[in-house]
């Protein structure tokens, strides 16, 4: 197993009545009413500190991503964060997981090839190159017509991979990008290119794309591994039907995790932040979240057929849920160390994933509690699950030079 700490860098102090007073956490939350630059500066530095802390504690990878105009997670420049993390972890064997620069929103997308190559060089060949389509909300923010977003993504992906590998300068005459001479400096250390991870939310087209190109498909969801199993079962059936091997490392999953000294401590310490996350951080106006044209036809038809009214029902039920409901439904894996170990191993095996991303900072959690969660997770949970799959499969989707098992500090970080 390779387990990475995923961080959203959210606003940690939205008002108690935020979801009642404001239309959406994404696209149109008013900066002047909700935030100030000095406070946000502290958030960015806390985020970097927490990820570096996790790297020192023995986590396998540290993971950032890109979003725009929101209080849910506002890293508009994930490669700025990645450059700090690469430099701060030089000499270590922690993966720099950029999940990542959104291809359709980068113009021209050759910038992704250049910046990712910089990060791979700076880190000594430790980059995982996430290539997300981007959320529908980010497309709205950047003026990308939803019906174009996926087509722009495919074109940008092909340009980036070709740019990394071409020995000769070449012209690129795409529908959305035209470049007379493609000759990026630098190129990545990893050849023919860094491992590519493709995040998705259950789209058939994304499964197809990731499998055909040999990339790692990563299901990003905040609705837990019970519902996630339905999606991952569909993905694995697609892999089988396509004649691809069932290597669990060709799949990843995002899971919220909180670890306390006991089950009771976990509920007392973490539940307010879990509640904050689902009430405020995920308060997204539906017209922004799913505009017409964002999903292609076959993915939309599959979603309607297989998921039906699940999401509408959940939106109605979630405000009434208590801590036990979130854990029972596996939206959050939480409890004392033994309980978390059991839940996490069960989730890993039922989803058949070899690359796990854990959200160890959730919503409004302060740095001290986040670091406690990191310590308990890396010391009491990680050693018990990291050997799953290792005796059967090779992780071709992790930088080759750091595929070995990371040593853990004997007593956590200091």
């Amino acid at each position: 197993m390779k387990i990475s700490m995923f961080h959203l860098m959210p606003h940690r102090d939205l008002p108690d009545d935020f979801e009642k007073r404001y239309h959406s956490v994404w696209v149109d939350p008013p900066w002047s009413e909700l935030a100030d630059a000095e406070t946000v500066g502290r958030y960015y530095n806390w985020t970097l500190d927490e990820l570096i802390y996790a790297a020192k504690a023995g986590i396998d990878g540290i993971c950032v991503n890109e979003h725009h105009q929101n209080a849910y997670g506002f890293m508009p420049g994930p490669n700025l964060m990645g450059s700090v993390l690469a430099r701060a972890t030089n000499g270590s064997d922690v993966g720099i997981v950029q999940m990542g620069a959104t291809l359709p929103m980068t113009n021209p997308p050759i910038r992704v090839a250049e910046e990712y190559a910089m990060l791979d060089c700076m880190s000594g060949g430790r980059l995982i190159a996430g290539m997300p389509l981007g959320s529908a909300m980010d497309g709205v923010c950047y003026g990308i017509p939803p019906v174009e977003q996926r087509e722009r993504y495919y074109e940008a992906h092909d340009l980036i991979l070709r740019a990394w590998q071409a020995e000769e300068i070449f012209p690129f005459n795409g529908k959305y990008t035209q470049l007379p001479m493609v000759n990026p400096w630098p190129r990545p250390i990893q050849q023919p290119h860094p491992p590519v991870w493709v995040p998705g939310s259950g789209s058939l087209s994304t499964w197809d794309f990731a499998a055909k190109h040999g990339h790692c498909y990563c299901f990003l969801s905040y609705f837990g591994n019970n519902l996630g199993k339905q999606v991952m079962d569909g993905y694995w059936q697609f892999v089988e039907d396509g004649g691809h091997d069932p290597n669990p490392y060709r799949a990843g999953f995002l899971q919220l995790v909180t670890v306390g000294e006991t089950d009771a401590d976990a509920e007392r310490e973490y539940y307010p932040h879990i509640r904050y996350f689902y009430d405020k951080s995920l308060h997204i106006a539906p017209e922004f979240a799913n505009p017409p044209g964002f999903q292609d036809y076959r993915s939309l038809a599959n979603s309607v057929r297989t998921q039906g009214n699940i999401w509408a029902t959940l939106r109605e039920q979630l405000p009434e849920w208590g801590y036990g409901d979130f854990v029972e439904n596996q939206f959050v894996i939480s409890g004392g160390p033994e309980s978390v170990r059991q839940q996490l191993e069960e989730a890993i095996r039922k989803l058949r994933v070899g690359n796990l991303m854990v959200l160890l900072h959730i919503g409004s959690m302060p740095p001290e509690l986040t670091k406690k969660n990191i310590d308990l997770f890396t010391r009491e949970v990680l050693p018990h699950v990291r050997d799953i799959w290792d005796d059967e499969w090779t992780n071709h989707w992790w930088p080759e030079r750091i595929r070995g098992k990371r040593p853990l500090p004997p007593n956590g970080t200091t």
Side-chain angles (χ1 to χ4, degrees):
M1 286 294 301
K2 290 297 183 183
I3 301 180
S4 302
M5 178 177 170
F6 193 102
H7 208 309
L8 292 170
M9 216 308 286
H11 194 300
R12 306 191 192 202
D13 193 27
L14 292 170
D16 291 342
D17 61 351
F18 170 80
E19 64 273 24
K20 297 180 176 64
R21 288 175 54 201
Y22 294 95
H23 175 242
S24 178
V25 75
W26 217 311
V27 181
D28 62 3
W31 166 272
S32 59
E33 295 180 24
L34 295 167
D36 69 87
E38 289 191 5
T39 299
V40 166
R42 288 195 293 273
Y43 293 161
Y44 282 117
N45 285 304
W46 286 348
T47 295
L48 291 167
D49 289 345
E50 289 157 0
L51 287 165
I52 294 167
Y53 189 90
K56 293 178 179 178
I59 205 85
D60 293 307
I62 43 181
C63 182
V64 296
N65 67 142
E66 174 181 345
H67 292 301
H68 303 278
Q69 291 184 199
N70 75 92
Y72 147 92
F74 48 111
M75 290 186 208
N79 294 340
L80 294 175
M81 306 292 280
S83 66
V84 175
L85 298 172
R87 181 66 180 88
T89 58
N90 264 350
S92 77
D93 53 359
V94 66
I96 304 300
V97 186
Q98 297 296 108
M99 279 292 284
T102 50
L103 273 54
M105 281 51 131
T106 307
N107 185 24
I110 194 68
R111 286 196 63 88
V112 178
E114 294 170 330
E115 293 179 8
Y116 274 6
M118 285 179 65
L119 290 174
D120 201 46
C121 291
M122 291 168 63
S123 67
R126 293 183 286 126
L127 174 74
I128 291 91
M131 293 193 183
L133 172 70
S135 75
M137 296 80 77
D138 291 323
V140 170
C141 295
Y142 269 36
I144 305 295
V147 74
E148 290 183 4
Q149 197 161 331
R150 193 171 293 272
E151 190 176 39
R152 287 175 178 268
Y153 173 81
Y154 295 148
E155 181 177 293
H157 165 274
D158 293 348
L159 169 59
I160 291 166
L161 290 188
R162 183 179 174 190
W164 279 339
Q165 299 174 74
E167 296 185 3
E168 304 292 336
I169 299 172
F170 65 91
F172 187 84
N173 189 29
K175 181 177 180 179
Y176 301 102
T177 300
Q178 297 83 40
L179 300 170
M181 290 185 287
V182 178
N183 181 31
W185 283 56
R187 306 291 176 94
I189 291 175
Q190 298 180 78
Q191 292 297 319
H193 56 76
V196 175
W197 290 11
V198 177
S201 56
S203 163
L204 288 180
S205 297
T206 306
W207 297 350
D208 188 12
F209 179 81
K212 283 183 176 178
H213 287 87
H215 301 330
C216 175
Y217 171 75
C218 300
F219 181 45
L220 304 188
S221 169
Y222 302 116
F223 299 103
N225 58 75
N226 285 342
L227 291 174
K229 185 178 188 304
Q230 180 180 344
V231 172
M232 294 308 300
D233 283 352
Y235 169 69
W236 285 118
Q237 184 61 54
F238 189 93
V239 168
E240 180 180 339
D241 293 345
H244 309 292
D245 69 74
N247 187 330
Y249 294 109
R250 67 166 65 247
F253 186 76
L254 174 62
Q255 176 69 57
L256 282 70
V257 178
T258 56
V259 191
E261 284 91 351
T262 66
D263 290 352
D265 287 336
E267 178 175 0
R268 175 179 53 82
E269 292 184 307
Y270 297 114
Y271 178 59
H273 308 292
I274 295 169
R275 186 77 268 169
Y276 176 102
F277 179 74
Y278 283 95
D279 288 346
K280 296 172 174 50
S281 300
L282 298 185
H283 174 59
I284 303 171
E287 68 270 23
F288 295 149
N290 193 25
F294 180 68
Q295 281 191 301
D296 60 18
Y297 177 78
R298 65 172 178 164
S299 298
L300 178 61
N302 182 68
S303 296
V304 172
R305 182 174 60 253
T306 60
Q307 297 173 8
N309 295 320
I310 291 175
W311 306 124
T313 301
L314 281 173
R315 280 194 294 271
E316 293 178 0
Q317 294 177 346
L318 277 173
E320 307 302 321
W321 276 15
Y323 171 81
D325 297 303
F326 284 103
V327 176
E328 180 181 352
N329 288 282
Q330 288 290 278
F331 280 41
V332 183
I333 288 178
S334 184
E338 182 177 357
S339 175
V340 171
R341 289 196 295 266
Q342 293 173 351
Q343 293 174 68
L344 194 61
E345 179 172 357
E346 180 181 346
I348 289 166
R349 292 191 182 279
K350 76 183 178 186
L351 299 174
R352 192 177 177 80
V353 292
N355 294 300
L356 184 70
M357 291 158 284
V358 288
L359 203 66
L360 298 177
H361 173 273
I362 298 171
S364 52
M365 282 170 59
E368 296 77 15
L369 184 58
T370 305
K371 291 177 180 178
K372 176 181 178 179
N373 197 26
I374 292 168
D375 273 338
L376 286 170
F377 179 81
T378 54
R379 187 172 64 242
E380 304 292 341
V381 178
L382 180 61
H384 299 271
V385 298
R386 67 184 342 172
D387 291 336
I388 299 173
W389 315 123
D390 284 0
D391 58 342
E392 303 175 64
W393 301 95
T394 299
N395 190 349
H396 302 292
W397 295 270
W398 196 261
E400 185 174 4
R401 62 181 58 191
I402 58 169
R403 282 181 194 163
K405 188 181 300 183
R406 290 203 75 206
L408 296 172
N411 296 307
T413 57
T414 57

